[in-house]
C-alpha cells in the first residue's frame, strides 16, 4: 500500500508489468470520469500526479486531491 510515485521510483523490488499499467490507467480514467461527469457534485481534479494516486494491495487505485494529505 502506498502512493504510485513511491511504488514506481522507490520500490525496486516491485516489478510493474504492462497488464498492471493498463489496469491502473483504466481505474484512474474511470475515477476521473466519475468525478467530472457523474458525481453528485462535479469535481475537476486540478492536481493529478503520482503522489496523489494511492495503490492498495497492488489491486486498486484511489485518487486523492491535494487537500486530503
Amino acid at each position: 500500500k502506498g502512493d504510485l510515485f513511491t511504488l514506481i521510483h522507490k520500490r525496486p523490488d516491485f516489478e510493474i508489468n504492462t497488464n498492471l499499467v493498463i489496469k491502473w490507467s483504466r481505474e484512474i480514467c474511470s475515477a476521473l470520469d466519475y468525478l467530472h461527469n457523474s458525481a453528485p457534485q462535479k469535481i475537476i481534479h486540478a492536481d493529478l500526479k503520482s503522489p496523489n494516486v494511492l495503490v492498495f494491495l497492488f489491486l486498486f487505485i484511489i485518487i486523492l486531491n491535494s487537500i486530503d494529505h
Side-chain angles (χ1 to χ4, degrees):
K1 147 179 159 175
D3 66 78
L4 188 56
F5 181 88
T6 300
L7 187 62
I8 291 170
H9 298 287
K10 298 181 181 179
R11 290 280 312 270
D13 59 313
F14 183 71
E15 185 176 325
I16 300 174
N17 63 46
T18 303
N19 290 333
L20 198 51
V21 170
I22 291 169
K23 179 185 184 316
W24 289 347
S25 298
R26 286 181 174 169
E27 289 183 19
I28 291 168
C29 289
S30 177
L32 291 175
D33 179 57
Y34 173 78
L35 290 173
H36 293 181
N37 299 308
S38 301
Q41 180 178 358
K42 309 268 188 283
I43 299 170
I44 302 299
H45 197 294
D47 193 28
L48 184 61
K49 56 189 174 189
S50 57
N52 291 342
V53 176
L54 295 184
V55 180
F56 284 93
L57 305 174
F58 308 115
L59 298 175
F60 63 93
I61 298 289
I62 294 178
I63 297 176
L64 302 175
N65 72 41
S66 56
I67 296 171
D68 290 335
H69 64 288

